[in-house]
Amino acid sequence: MRRYFRGANWKRGVLGLHDGLKNRKGRFDSCRFHWHVSSTVERRTVTAEAMGSKPIRALSTAPRSGAKGTTMKCPCGKERKGERLGAGWHEHAGRMWCPKCWGNSFVMRAVSIPVAGPIDIEWSMLREKLRACWSGATRISNWATSELRKNDVVRTAEMTKLPPQPKLYLYPGARSIAPEVDSQSVTAILHNVEGKYREARYESVWLSRVALPTFKYPVPYPVHNQGWSIEFADGVPIVSCRLNGDRIKLRLRGGDQFRRQLGAARSIESGDAIRGELSIYQVSASTGDHRPSADRSNATRLMVKMCGWFPIRKREMSGQLIVKTDPNWLLVWHGANEERIEYFACDQLKRWTAEHREKLSRISEDTKREKRIPHRQMRDIGEMRDRWCAKHRDRIDSLTHQVSASIANICERRKIAEVIYDDSCREYVSEFAWHELKSKIVYKLKNIGVTFTFASGPTVEENREALANESRQ
């Protein structure tokens, strides 16, 4: 009994490993092909006549990178033994990268650019293709979540800890659910769903505190990094990708307002950045944006999100920048050895927060149960409230991006090596996304190689003997 590999495309591109007996003429007399359907394993016997009775060449026994018995070594000296790349390990530019070296050299970032229009097809055909892709992605996502939960464990009184998650092969079932979705996109959708399920598994399966993840239409349609490319024509980016089995070209927006996104796109085109996954999704747009849509009351704008690994800029840096919150200002900052203090006022933030709080309070008073408002009117009021909340979220998102980018630009201009951030005082605006602001400062500083240190309050240096004496008392 030996293992052989059939390299020909059999039954629409299925490549299989077959176990069988080889006769004297180098042909199979019989073989077996195994695959999973949902959580069950179905075995089918295939005869040599059904497979065409063609010679099958043996698997190559030459050692490859990451094979059993080989050692992967990073130039920093770290080694790893195993059959495949481990978590965090990468192979790029003819060498192996350990997680630490890769994290010090590259950073994962994503840029989103609106679609100006298709090149080879009309808007109506593009929208039709996207609706089919989004519908298939939504069906696959919800079906995969149900299958993962259906085949998972149910907590009983005898269990003391959560067992490991059962391994399932969902690809054949997903292909039957949405055959119009490309195979590489199916794999990306399943990978995303399984990751979200693992995040919520403990809270949902073991503690029963949260519900399972639910995916609403339209789920962003992912395209594998090998399924798309980008080029520039007269300064305008053009993306070529596969949608619903066809390759289409999309012309993206340009202009000075997208200079940061266009710079990242040029890095991906030139090869300085490592191309990642691409996603196509839609966002709500106002009727004044003149977006092509059949329903003007529900106009949307197409967006293309490009992910990639971007190199971290290396330069000579020194000094510290201290950034703190203040009761009278959003942020204050100064150098470690400087007495002059600079401010970020952002007075519009107080006005936005007060207006948003007042609107929500008035709607809450007008929709009390005692007033018995009709269902249709309540639905209209809810939609209006959702629009107000979305507008407020967009304002906060833009503000946090502007403030964090300003801090990064200050560090780059002054060649700062470290930022010490303290947001313990939150009296200026109590209802504000402080964590979101800190997260954006962190990743913008990492792009330019600046160290971020979070200090939630004043620190006191104490030695071990003082701590021991205090514990005895």
Side-chain angles (χ1 to χ4, degrees):
M1 181 75 68
R2 297 179 60 185
R3 298 184 68 86
Y4 296 88
F5 178 70
R6 184 177 182 84
N9 291 337
W10 179 65
K11 279 197 174 180
R12 202 176 177 181
V14 177
L15 300 179
L17 290 177
H18 308 277
D19 296 334
L21 297 176
K22 188 178 181 183
N23 57 23
R24 296 180 180 179
K25 295 183 180 181
R27 303 175 184 271
F28 268 112
D29 292 330
S30 64
C31 62
R32 285 185 179 272
F33 178 57
H34 310 277
W35 67 88
H36 291 266
V37 178
S38 184
S39 60
T40 61
V41 180
E42 181 174 291
R43 301 184 179 183
R44 298 187 180 181
T45 303
V46 184
T47 62
E49 291 77 14
M51 299 192 57
S53 187
K54 297 181 179 180
I56 301 175
R57 57 186 178 87
L59 283 170
S60 174
T61 58
R64 58 180 178 84
S65 176
K68 190 173 183 179
T70 62
T71 302
M72 296 174 288
K73 186 174 182 179
C74 181
C76 69
K78 190 173 183 179
E79 298 182 355
R80 174 182 173 81
K81 296 181 179 179
E83 299 183 0
R84 60 179 65 184
L85 290 173
W89 281 78
H90 295 268
E91 186 175 0
H92 175 64
R95 54 161 286 192
M96 305 301 299
W97 299 75
C98 67
K100 183 177 181 180
C101 294
W102 184 264
N104 293 334
S105 301
F106 296 92
V107 59
M108 171 63 77
R109 289 293 174 261
V111 292
S112 298
I113 305 178
V115 176
I119 294 180
D120 300 332
I121 58 178
E122 299 293 334
W123 266 109
S124 58
M125 187 177 298
L126 174 63
R127 288 282 183 173
E128 183 179 355
K129 286 181 173 293
L130 286 175
R131 282 193 293 267
C133 293
W134 290 333
S135 178
T138 306
R139 292 198 305 271
I140 292 175
S141 300
N142 290 312
W143 171 82
T145 303
S146 302
E147 289 295 314
L148 290 171
R149 184 63 187 95
K150 182 171 62 177
N151 291 275
D152 208 340
V153 298
V154 177
R155 183 177 181 180
T156 60
E158 293 78 13
M159 291 184 179
T160 58
K161 63 179 182 180
L162 181 64
Q165 181 181 346
K167 295 183 179 181
L168 298 178
Y169 185 54
L170 301 174
Y171 179 81
R175 290 291 289 170
S176 62
I177 290 292
E180 68 276 7
V181 179
D182 297 321
S183 58
Q184 291 179 337
S185 298
V186 170
T187 305
I189 295 169
L190 293 176
H191 181 75
N192 179 39
V193 172
E194 291 171 355
K196 291 183 179 297
Y197 182 82
R198 284 193 298 268
E199 292 178 2
R201 183 170 180 258
Y202 180 75
E203 295 283 339
S204 176
V205 177
W206 188 253
L207 300 181
S208 300
R209 290 180 179 175
V210 298
L212 291 175
T214 302
F215 298 87
K216 297 181 180 180
Y217 176 88
V219 172
Y221 186 75
V223 181
H224 194 266
N225 59 354
Q226 297 179 358
W228 68 277
S229 61
I230 185 171
E231 60 182 2
F232 280 79
D234 298 332
V236 178
I238 298 176
V239 169
S240 175
C241 62
R242 288 182 59 84
L243 277 182
N244 203 6
D246 299 328
R247 180 163 293 276
I248 63 171
K249 290 185 178 182
L250 302 176
R251 185 177 66 256
L252 307 184
R253 286 285 304 277
D256 186 65
Q257 67 271 31
F258 295 103
R259 59 181 180 274
R260 180 184 63 86
Q261 292 88 338
L262 295 179
R266 290 187 182 277
S267 299
I268 296 177
E269 181 201 20
S270 62
D272 296 337
I274 304 173
R275 185 174 55 195
E277 187 179 88
L278 178 139
S279 298
I280 303 178
Y281 62 101
Q282 68 178 9
V283 296
S284 299
S286 63
T287 55
D289 290 335
H290 304 289
R291 296 294 100 191
S293 177
D295 185 7
R296 288 294 180 182
S297 63
N298 191 23
T300 57
R301 170 177 291 183
L302 292 183
M303 303 289 292
V304 170
K305 183 174 71 173
M306 296 172 286
C307 301
W309 289 98
F310 293 85
I312 298 176
R313 287 175 282 180
K314 303 293 183 180
R315 57 191 178 88
E316 295 182 1
M317 300 176 295
S318 62
Q320 294 178 337
L321 186 71
I322 300 175
V323 182
K324 299 185 296 183
T325 55
D326 188 82
N328 301 318
W329 309 89
L330 179 64
L331 291 177
V332 298
W333 61 271
H334 61 87
N337 300 322
E338 297 179 2
E339 296 182 357
R340 180 182 177 183
I341 300 178
E342 303 289 345
Y343 308 95
F344 287 106
C346 300
D347 292 334
Q348 69 274 22
L349 178 59
K350 282 190 170 183
R351 184 177 71 254
W352 293 343
T353 305
E355 292 177 355
H356 184 62
R357 189 189 305 114
E358 182 69 16
K359 286 182 179 179
L360 295 183
S361 177
R362 287 179 175 273
I363 288 181
S364 178
E365 292 293 334
D366 291 341
T367 55
K368 287 186 176 181
R369 187 176 182 86
E370 293 79 7
K371 297 186 177 182
R372 299 182 180 275
I373 300 177
H375 177 71
R376 180 177 298 178
Q377 186 178 354
M378 283 291 296
R379 183 184 60 188
D380 296 339
I381 294 175
E383 292 177 355
M384 180 177 60
R385 180 176 58 240
D386 293 340
R387 289 195 298 269
W388 286 348
C389 292
K391 181 178 180 179
H392 184 70
R393 286 195 302 267
D394 292 340
R395 283 176 166 179
I396 298 301
D397 181 70
S398 298
L399 179 67
T400 51
H401 270 298
Q402 293 172 1
V403 173
S404 57
S406 299
I407 294 176
N409 293 334
I410 291 171
C411 295
E412 189 172 16
R413 176 169 53 86
R414 303 180 61 174
K415 298 182 179 180
I416 299 296
E418 182 184 11
V419 171
I420 301 177
Y421 182 78
D422 179 12
D423 63 352
S424 56
C425 179
R426 301 183 177 182
E427 299 178 7
Y428 185 70
V429 179
S430 59
E431 300 176 4
F432 181 65
W434 295 103
H435 178 74
E436 181 180 352
L437 176 61
K438 185 186 74 172
S439 302
K440 291 179 180 178
I441 293 175
V442 169
Y443 85 76
K444 283 183 172 61
L445 292 179
K446 190 174 182 179
N447 291 343
I448 59 177
V450 178
T451 304
F452 179 87
T453 302
F454 178 66
S456 58
T459 57
V460 180
E461 295 185 0
E462 296 182 356
N463 55 22
R464 186 176 299 178
E465 295 180 358
L467 292 175
N469 296 331
E470 183 179 353
S471 62
R472 294 191 189 99
Q473 296 177 358

